[in-house]
Amino acid sequence: MADAITEGAAKLQLDEETGEMVSKGELKKRLAKRAKKVAQAKAKSTAPVKEVAAQMRVEKKEEVAVDVNAIFKEGFLDKVYKERPVKDVVTRFPPEPNGFLHIGHAKAIAVNFGFAKYHNGVCYLRFDDTNPEAEEEVYFTAIKEMVKWLGFTPYKITYSSDNFAKLYELAEELIRRGKAYVCHCSDVEIKRQRGGEERGPRYRCDHASRTVDVNLAEFRAMRDGKYKPKEAFLRMKQNIEDGNPQMWDLAAYRILDAEHHRTGSTWKIYPTYDFTHCICDSFEGISHSLCTTEFIQSRVSYEWLNSSLGIYEPMQREYGRLNIQGTVLSKRKIARLVKENYVRGWNDPRLYTLIAIRRRGVPPGAILEFVNEIGVTTAETNIQLSRFDQTVRRYLERTVPRLMMVLDPVALTIEDGEEMELEIPFSPKNAAMGSHKIKLTKTVYIDRSDFREVDSADYFRLAPGKSVGLLQLPYPIKATSFSKDGEKVTEIRAVYDKAGKKPKTYIQWVPSGSRVVEVRIHNSLFKSEKPDDAEGGFLNDINPESEQIWKNAMIESGLDEVRKRAPWPEAVNTSESELGSGGIESVRFQAMRIAYFTLDSDTTDDKVVLNRIVSLKEDAGK
């Protein structure tokens, strides 16, 4: 019987439209029927039905791994390198440690670290920690973890604050060169100097005409605590007539009444991003400073400052940022979702922070493939959630094992069944994944949705007097009767239908005594693709069905073997590259006919909690 089981299992294939496991012949019939409908719907198309069906078969072939270096071999990033084809490529990823990274930052990490790696260079992880009022240690830790999780190792981890003394000396040098001055104007006055709302003429205040000695004295007074916040600040003396606002005498230093996490109370003044960023790039010998297009106007001031100081000048180039539709990425909005208990925390699987995506079970390798698939250009990329899920789904399809699980169990007694041990492959496509043993018991559990008390012509699963296949078993079963408690079916009785026709559909099952688990099905947190446009604000767009919990689901014993052999997949060049190297979220598998799942961090020794990563097909409602 074991040979028959193996042979039968190998022939079953997933019908991606219905989520059913069916025989190869039945799938062929269904594909041909759908192909015919497609051909008929395309009145202008002359392609014969056979060609359409052939195309569908091509699409059904197993996906091959994406070349994650393709974005560096051609296109925008290839042109960037050729602008400055240096032997020693040095890049940096410079996050501000004032929040958790989100999916958009994954692109920045992949671009900066990947660019350096492809050209045999190095990449710094530099924390732009110049605003002590917003920085917390938890963010520093999370950022380092996310970079490592995505598979990158910084050449060095540095901090802008490491250079506070050198930055201060260069600020004084800028004053001595007549290219910086201390200003005491209010925000209203500065706005007026820049043309105001009416876009009138621009001009400098009287402070800009003070002597170098006066400006040096005033700047040192700022440093020594003579002034309170907003009473004075150092401005760069750029070109107020330039059409670029980034040249309108930007702030270089401001006074902040806050202790710094690294320097304590040493400093009363802190450099701005516009002053710090380009100089730190110079200090670290960055060859290619890659950032998003929101900084394209800043390139002029970036180049102006390094040139004015006579220091090494890196090359800044800008690529389009990644935006995900159907969610919110704003720190302020996510904080509100957390505070008002719409989600469990910053790592809730329905969010798109990287810690949330990791908890959801998305593999780091899938994220890198996603970045490569959408490409890198100067245009902003606006992606639907389904597009991201599609990449993750394809990645998991070829890399994780398959198990049987039922969300809403109901007992099925096979009256002429016998107990036996079965050897089940983890994947019908990849023998290298191996197999595991499972006990076939006389009473098994199937999903309640796979049984109907009254049959119908368009229903292909179990019903009284009707046969259906059980996954991994050679014979179909026929329902003979069932019991109820009130309106609820409590047990189904069946016998093997050894003489019947080959079943059109196969359903999953688990043995008696299988582990009870909690399963969380996460859907989109919002109802629309643009939550911010909802009347009354984004909270009015919350999807009440964003989380469905099955507290008494059951899963077969193969889960234990999957846990022992995690991470799934063993992703080369990521933090999940060898046995035991991943976190609990690296225990991933496909629950046949349901979805892809991972272990949630709420799992304990006594309770297993599973998160859905993605559905088996794009439209789970089909």
Side-chain angles (χ1 to χ4, degrees):
M1 184 173 183
D3 292 339
I5 290 170
T6 303
E7 182 181 356
K11 292 181 179 179
L12 294 183
Q13 297 185 7
L14 173 67
D15 182 341
E16 293 187 348
E17 182 141 331
T18 66
E20 298 170 328
M21 298 297 293
V22 298
S23 67
K24 185 176 181 180
E26 173 62 19
L27 181 61
K28 186 176 180 180
K29 290 179 184 179
R30 293 186 183 188
L31 290 177
K33 186 175 180 180
R34 292 167 195 158
K36 186 175 181 179
K37 289 182 178 180
V38 169
Q40 291 173 341
K42 295 181 179 179
K44 295 182 180 180
S45 174
T46 59
V49 173
K50 288 184 179 179
E51 289 184 16
V52 177
Q55 178 62 31
M56 292 184 74
R57 286 195 296 272
V58 170
E59 292 174 356
K60 191 76 173 83
K61 288 183 179 179
E62 185 174 352
E63 298 284 343
V64 295
V66 172
D67 179 5
V68 294
N69 287 321
I71 55 176
F72 309 113
K73 295 177 179 178
E74 57 186 10
F76 172 75
L77 291 175
D78 179 50
K79 292 177 181 177
V80 167
Y81 175 72
K82 288 175 179 175
E83 282 190 69
R84 184 178 279 195
V86 297
K87 179 181 178 182
D88 298 320
V89 169
V90 184
T91 62
R92 81 291 170 270
F93 173 59
E96 297 178 59
N98 59 4
F100 294 103
L101 302 183
H102 56 65
I103 184 64
H105 293 109
K107 181 177 180 179
I109 293 171
V111 166
N112 282 284
F113 280 94
F115 185 89
K117 184 177 181 180
Y118 180 72
H119 293 290
N120 298 312
V122 298
C123 182
Y124 285 82
L125 168 59
R126 183 204 310 145
F127 289 105
D128 182 29
D129 57 340
T130 59
N131 184 8
E133 294 177 332
E135 296 155 4
E136 294 182 35
E137 185 60 35
V138 64
Y139 301 136
F140 288 90
T141 301
I143 290 170
K144 286 185 282 189
E145 286 180 355
M146 290 302 98
V147 170
K148 180 181 179 182
W149 177 63
L150 286 173
F152 298 108
T153 302
Y155 169 62
K156 289 182 180 178
I157 297 177
T158 59
Y159 302 80
S160 294
S161 58
D162 293 340
N163 300 305
F164 276 175
K166 292 167 66 177
L167 288 166
Y168 176 83
E169 290 301 323
L170 285 177
E172 286 207 353
E173 177 62 24
L174 199 64
I175 294 172
R176 281 191 287 269
R177 294 186 179 208
K179 294 186 177 182
Y181 60 96
V182 173
C183 179
H184 302 273
C185 297
S186 67
D187 291 342
V188 173
E189 289 171 325
I190 293 171
K191 188 173 183 179
R192 191 180 303 120
Q193 294 163 20
R194 292 175 172 174
E197 295 181 0
E198 302 301 322
R199 298 186 179 181
R202 295 186 291 275
Y203 60 92
R204 286 196 173 105
C205 64
D206 292 339
H207 305 123
S209 60
R210 294 194 293 196
T211 66
V212 168
D213 289 341
V214 170
N215 280 314
L216 281 173
E218 287 291 280
F219 187 48
R220 290 166 184 170
M222 286 174 56
R223 178 198 63 188
D224 296 339
K226 177 180 177 181
Y227 294 109
K228 295 179 181 179
K230 294 193 174 184
E231 287 184 349
F233 66 102
L234 183 68
R235 296 176 72 175
M236 294 180 275
K237 199 171 186 178
Q238 297 167 291
N239 183 1
I240 200 74
E241 299 302 323
D242 194 298
N244 186 342
Q246 288 298 113
M247 291 296 289
W248 296 349
D249 290 12
L250 301 179
Y253 267 83
R254 76 281 201 204
I255 301 166
L256 295 176
D257 188 15
E259 286 205 2
H260 193 275
H261 73 108
R262 288 170 64 81
T263 61
S265 58
T266 301
W267 295 92
K268 300 288 189 295
I269 57 173
Y270 292 92
T272 62
Y273 173 88
D274 291 304
F275 184 81
T276 306
H277 181 66
C278 58
I279 296 178
C280 284
D281 276 359
S282 181
F283 288 161
E284 293 175 353
I286 303 302
S287 60
H288 301 79
S289 181
L290 307 174
C291 54
T292 52
T293 51
E294 64 194 280
F295 296 103
I296 194 165
Q297 288 186 312
S298 297
R299 190 201 298 183
V300 176
S301 59
Y302 179 103
E303 294 173 350
W304 176 89
L305 182 54
N306 283 335
S307 176
S308 295
L309 288 169
I311 58 178
Y312 165 74
E313 298 182 43
M315 183 183 79
Q316 176 178 306
R317 291 297 180 266
E318 308 82 16
Y319 58 88
R321 67 186 300 170
L322 169 62
N323 297 314
I324 295 284
Q325 297 178 339
T327 188
V328 294
L329 300 178
S330 158
K331 290 188 286 286
R332 178 181 58 81
K333 291 173 182 174
I334 295 177
R336 189 171 176 190
L337 289 169
V338 173
K339 183 178 180 180
E340 299 182 24
N341 297 317
Y342 287 100
V343 294
R344 289 186 170 86
W346 286 83
N347 67 342
D348 188 291
R350 291 165 289 181
L351 297 174
Y352 280 80
T353 58
L354 287 182
I355 57 173
I357 292 173
R358 180 177 64 175
R359 180 179 180 182
R360 175 177 151 190
V362 174
I367 296 176
L368 298 181
E369 284 198 7
F370 174 66
V371 171
N372 185 79
E373 286 177 7
I374 61 178
V376 179
T377 67
T378 56
E380 280 199 4
T381 306
N382 295 295
I383 299 295
Q384 295 177 320
L385 298 180
S386 59
R387 177 67 181 80
F388 177 68
D389 288 351
Q390 182 182 1
T391 298
V392 176
R393 186 180 298 112
R394 285 201 306 264
Y395 189 89
L396 293 170
E397 165 65 20
R398 66 176 189 266
T399 58
V400 300
R402 300 183 183 186
L403 298 174
M404 291 190 291
M405 181 171 76
V406 292
L407 296 177
D408 189 10
V410 60
L412 168 69
T413 299
I414 307 173
E415 295 181 324
D416 55 349
E418 299 177 3
E419 287 198 1
M420 64 181 71
E421 191 174 71
L422 309 177
E423 180 119 5
I424 307 298
F426 275 125
S427 171
K429 298 180 180 180
N430 186 357
M433 286 191 185
S435 61
H436 63 290
K437 294 180 180 179
I438 183 174
K439 182 180 289 187
L440 173 63
T441 52
K442 189 177 180 70
T443 295
V444 299
Y445 288 83
I446 65 172
D447 202 278
R448 193 173 300 278
S449 64
D450 286 331
F451 176 76
R452 280 187 183 178
E453 298 176 44
V454 180
D455 194 15
S456 62
D458 60 348
Y459 185 70
F460 299 101
R461 285 165 280 172
L462 198 60
K466 189 171 188 174
S467 295
V468 72
L470 291 183
L471 284 171
Q472 317 295 0
L473 298 187
Y475 305 117
I477 57 166
K478 179 184 288 186
T480 56
S481 62
F482 59 91
S483 302
K484 296 178 68 175
D485 182 3
E487 294 298 315
K488 190 173 185 178
V489 174
T490 55
E491 183 188 18
I492 304 160
R493 288 173 289 280
V495 295
Y496 282 122
D497 187 9
K498 297 181 180 181
K501 295 180 180 180
K502 195 167 187 177
K504 292 184 176 181
T505 300
Y506 288 76
I507 62 175
Q508 80 274 23
W509 56 276
V510 297
S512 178
S514 292
R515 186 196 306 267
V516 176
V517 297
E518 178 178 306
V519 174
R520 298 171 183 173
I521 305 291
H522 296 112
N523 301 306
S524 176
L525 183 60
F526 298 97
K527 293 181 287 188
S528 74
E529 290 190 357
K530 296 183 178 180
D532 289 333
D533 292 349
E535 185 176 350
F538 74 103
L539 292 181
N540 287 342
D541 197 46
I542 292 287
N543 175 15
E545 303 297 327
S546 67
E547 182 180 71
Q548 298 171 318
I549 299 178
W550 302 85
K551 290 186 174 293
N552 296 297
M554 297 175 70
I555 191 166
E556 53 143 307
S557 58
L559 177 63
D560 296 329
E561 180 69 16
V562 170
R563 290 187 72 169
K564 289 178 185 177
R565 292 176 54 188
W568 293 91
E570 294 182 10
V572 179
N573 297 327
T574 75
S575 65
E576 300 180 1
S577 59
E578 57 186 23
L579 184 66
S581 63
I584 196 168
E585 70 282 346
S586 70
V587 182
R588 306 179 182 97
F589 62 92
Q590 181 196 116
M592 290 189 281
R593 297 183 63 239
I594 305 176
Y596 293 97
F597 289 90
T598 187
L599 287 181
D600 183 71
S601 55
D602 285 342
T603 295
T604 65
D605 292 340
D606 301 322
K607 179 182 179 181
V608 170
V609 180
L610 300 174
N611 286 328
R612 185 176 79 170
I613 307 172
V614 287
S615 61
L616 291 181
K617 51 189 180 300
E618 184 172 340
D619 183 3
K622 286 183 180 178

